[in-house]
Amino acid sequence: MGIDAIIDHDRSTSLAGTLSPNSNHNTAQAKSKVYRTDGLCSRELVLMMMHDYLDRLYATIPVLHRPSFRDALARNRDAEDTVFLGLLIAMCATVVGMMPSKFRRYREHGFAFESRKAFVLHCYSTLSSIRGVDYFDEISFNKFAISYLMDIALFQAGLYNLSRMAEVECIQLGRLLHLHKVEEYAGLNQIETQLRKKGFWMLFYSFVHAQVQNLRKERLMFLDPLMVENMDPEALIPLDVDDEDIFEGHVLPRRSGEPCLTTGYIIHSRVFWLAIHSWQSDGVDDRSKPCYCEQTRDKSKRVNHLTERVCELKYSLDALPAELRPWASQPHRGLEDPNAHNADTRFTQFASMRANLHVTHLWLQSILLDQIDSLLHGEPEELGEGKPLATLQARWAEREAISSQLLHVLHAISPEHIEPNGLHLAYKVRDVAVGLLSCPHEAHEPAFVRVAEYVRSFTAVLATLDTSEIVSTTNLQTWIDTDRERGRKADVERATGMAMHGWDGD
């Protein structure tokens, strides 16, 4: 069946029923068949997880085209398509890994796994077992999506070394699919083009994370600074329409003036780009500005660049649609309103995006301030003279403002809507809080008292947000170099033997 023939899922009762966790007919049908997903859990639970992914996670992780996916799931495509089966497994792992509340709900419905980590590992093992030796001889966006989702799921479960390897895999697939080269999109249909543009930005988020937080420089990156310098971000922005308006051969105009989920995704992508570069497509010629190589050689140029990034980021969300503003409220609808459920789902999706967008926006500013502090530490004040953030006092006032805004955002959005952002959001909040620990003020000063209150508030918030099943070691070396360890062990044994025999090594 061609995508053009798929009926819009909002008007299709059959496809809606497929993903409804309360569909008695669907449940009875699922129990009477054998499915390739039965090694994970019952088909009923798999369908619940797919429903939860589309309702709760899709807004921030749009790795699929919803109508196509619903159609494929309704036809049980995983029975004959191992790649689609892998996508279902990776989606299940991501839902369980990111949302503890859903895990508890699944346990009430007979889910056998006692921890989220155990289930994610089982999914990883299952995916490994269904891959043949020729798995990478044919590539597709779905294979990229599988690796991307498993990277997220493994990270959420605290399996950081496996997460790194999944990240490298999806980076390689992203390169092979030319996600970063819009000129290579020729020949793709409209659905694939949209998916690949979204996929580019997913990898770009990881690239920016690695740029600003890769202290040991051990992470491989999707892009390099020269590629970014010569890239047109506007050309890679996805169309601002919902999946239901995109078909293989054509795209329908947006149905209303209201923003769609892709609107939030686009704004979020722009924020990440602004953290490292100005938006080149606005008609401003950036060639007169120092490139990354010049910035690494000249500290003052690097400080100037980072200062510009902070200042541009600061006001980048001034013209947000109402649904994405920090104070957005849920419209009241009566119980008799037939559109009430759809409206509630839409509000929930925008609320999750809103949390992600504003926390990321403030976190990026805080991380850039950290970099400026590091560059200016011990340097004469003249290095950044005349710049908005040249002095420690100016930067500290900015930190206080960021902390205050972040706490307002976190208290304005319910935990239910924050949860779909997983531990990534919690760690961003933690990063902002850690920046306050270098307070330059004395204990008797009002600024110090304010900071102490901010830290207490962040601690209380993090106690709720951090749902890790194990202690986080994201900033530590969690791998062992066995060759090096063997050498150290030999050195210790040699030194011990010499000491026992009274040798001094001369």
Side-chain angles (χ1 to χ4, degrees):
M1 179 188 298
I3 297 301
D4 285 357
I6 296 175
I7 300 173
D8 186 329
H9 81 279
D10 288 331
R11 300 189 294 266
S12 170
T13 55
S14 62
L15 293 188
T18 300
L19 288 172
S20 172
N22 299 316
S23 172
N24 293 329
H25 172 72
N26 188 61
T27 300
Q29 210 174 34
K31 287 180 177 177
S32 64
K33 285 187 176 182
V34 175
Y35 297 90
R36 294 180 73 186
T37 53
D38 289 347
L40 301 180
C41 54
S42 68
R43 192 65 170 190
E44 178 188 5
L45 275 171
V46 168
L47 294 178
M48 288 173 66
M49 291 178 191
M50 297 302 99
H51 180 272
D52 290 334
Y53 186 96
L54 292 174
D55 272 8
R56 304 299 303 280
L57 297 184
Y58 168 83
T60 52
I61 317 175
V63 295
L64 49 85
H65 177 253
R66 286 179 298 185
S68 315
F69 176 79
R70 284 185 165 98
D71 177 67
L73 187 61
R75 292 186 288 105
N76 297 322
R77 188 168 125 195
D78 51 302
E80 56 191 31
D81 185 340
T82 299
V83 176
F84 188 73
L85 171 63
L87 181 62
L88 295 188
I89 293 170
M91 290 171 69
C92 289
T94 305
V95 171
V96 171
M98 292 193 76
M99 296 198 291
S101 66
K102 297 298 181 184
F103 172 69
R104 291 190 291 271
R105 179 185 169 217
Y106 303 149
R107 291 276 293 168
E108 294 170 0
H109 285 76
F111 194 53
F113 294 86
E114 295 186 355
S115 71
R116 289 178 289 142
K117 178 180 177 181
F119 180 68
V120 171
L121 272 174
H122 181 69
C123 290
Y124 179 82
S125 176
T126 303
L127 282 171
S128 299
S129 69
I130 64 175
R131 288 183 176 183
V133 294
D134 58 349
Y135 179 78
F136 292 110
D137 290 347
E138 295 181 356
I139 61 172
S140 64
F141 188 83
N142 271 354
K143 289 188 177 181
F144 162 80
I146 292 167
S147 298
Y148 187 81
L149 290 172
M150 287 310 300
D151 174 20
I152 293 173
L154 291 164
F155 180 89
Q156 298 294 321
L159 299 161
Y160 304 123
N161 294 328
L162 285 176
S163 173
R164 283 189 189 90
M165 299 309 160
E167 180 185 34
V168 171
E169 189 174 277
C170 71
I171 285 174
Q172 181 64 78
L173 286 168
R175 282 291 192 101
L176 295 175
L177 291 168
H178 299 297
L179 299 186
H180 58 302
K181 294 181 178 180
V182 73
E183 63 272 16
E184 297 285 349
Y185 286 22
L188 296 174
N189 64 43
Q190 296 289 349
I191 292 173
E192 283 298 328
T193 297
Q194 182 80 341
L195 282 173
R196 293 192 184 203
K197 286 184 175 182
K198 289 181 178 180
F200 164 78
W201 289 104
M202 291 175 209
L203 285 181
F204 187 79
Y205 304 157
S206 299
F207 167 71
V208 174
H209 276 271
Q211 281 283 88
V212 300
Q213 283 194 308
N214 194 12
L215 299 179
R216 282 187 302 271
K217 305 298 181 187
E218 87 281 4
R219 289 181 64 180
L220 301 181
M221 291 190 279
F222 176 55
L223 303 169
D224 62 53
L226 182 60
M227 293 168 70
V228 175
E229 292 282 343
N230 295 299
M231 198 172 279
D232 178 9
E234 194 66 48
L236 287 158
I237 286 292
L239 297 173
D240 193 4
V241 295
D242 274 324
D243 286 356
E244 289 69 34
D245 295 324
I246 301 180
F247 299 84
E248 286 185 344
H250 66 280
V251 179
L252 299 177
R254 212 157 77 196
R255 303 178 190 182
S256 70
E258 293 183 339
C260 62
L261 295 181
T262 310
T263 306
Y265 190 77
I266 291 171
I267 294 170
H268 186 251
S269 300
R270 288 179 184 272
V271 165
F272 264 99
W273 183 274
L274 290 175
I276 62 169
H277 215 288
S278 60
W279 196 260
Q280 294 176 350
S281 295
D282 58 7
V284 177
D285 186 357
D286 264 4
R287 285 175 290 185
S288 60
K289 296 184 178 181
C291 67
Y292 184 78
C293 295
E294 289 182 75
Q295 293 173 35
T296 57
R297 291 192 295 265
D298 188 329
K299 190 179 287 189
S300 64
K301 290 181 179 179
R302 183 63 180 161
V303 170
N304 291 345
H305 172 78
L306 293 172
T307 301
E308 288 176 5
R309 295 299 92 232
V310 173
C311 294
E312 193 168 353
L313 266 175
K314 185 175 181 179
Y315 301 106
S316 62
L317 299 184
D318 283 0
L320 284 177
E323 289 86 346
L324 290 170
R325 292 173 187 165
W327 53 84
S329 58
Q330 186 165 7
H332 175 73
R333 291 178 181 266
L335 295 176
E336 70 284 353
D337 188 338
N339 297 316
H341 175 73
N342 289 339
D344 288 345
T345 298
R346 184 175 187 274
F347 177 82
T348 295
Q349 292 170 329
F350 271 97
S352 295
M353 279 198 297
R354 189 164 71 247
N356 187 34
L357 175 62
H358 289 283
V359 171
T360 298
H361 177 241
L362 295 167
W363 168 74
L364 284 169
Q365 293 176 65
S366 178
I367 290 294
L368 293 175
L369 286 173
D370 288 344
Q371 293 190 2
I372 295 173
D373 280 345
S374 177
L375 288 167
L376 294 181
H377 181 70
E379 295 288 342
E381 292 281 326
E382 293 77 26
L383 184 63
E385 191 173 6
K387 297 297 177 182
L389 302 173
T391 65
L392 180 61
Q393 288 77 12
R395 295 194 298 278
W396 192 258
E398 202 68 30
R399 278 196 190 281
E400 282 200 56
I402 288 169
S403 300
S404 177
Q405 290 175 57
L406 181 54
L407 286 168
H408 277 98
V409 167
L410 293 171
H411 286 107
I413 301 174
S414 74
E416 174 194 1
H417 299 143
I418 290 176
E419 184 189 37
N421 292 291
L423 293 175
H424 289 96
L425 185 140
Y427 293 162
K428 289 173 184 176
V429 173
R430 184 188 63 187
D431 289 342
V432 174
V434 167
L436 295 172
L437 300 180
S438 59
C439 179
H441 298 281
E442 300 294 332
H444 64 275
E445 295 181 277
F448 186 93
V449 176
R450 289 195 301 272
V451 167
E453 182 55 37
Y454 290 146
V455 171
R456 279 192 291 270
S457 298
F458 278 128
T459 302
V461 168
L462 285 168
T464 302
L465 290 183
D466 192 344
T467 56
S468 308
E469 291 181 331
I470 62 173
V471 175
S472 170
T473 56
T474 51
N475 294 322
L476 302 177
Q477 178 173 321
T478 53
W479 61 92
I480 298 171
D481 184 337
T482 55
D483 297 328
R484 196 177 302 278
E485 286 300 309
R486 251 196 315 270
R488 288 174 181 164
K489 184 178 180 181
D491 288 342
V492 170
E493 290 175 348
R494 191 179 303 111
T496 303
M498 291 169 64
M500 289 177 64
H501 289 87
W503 298 340
D504 57 9
D506 293 333

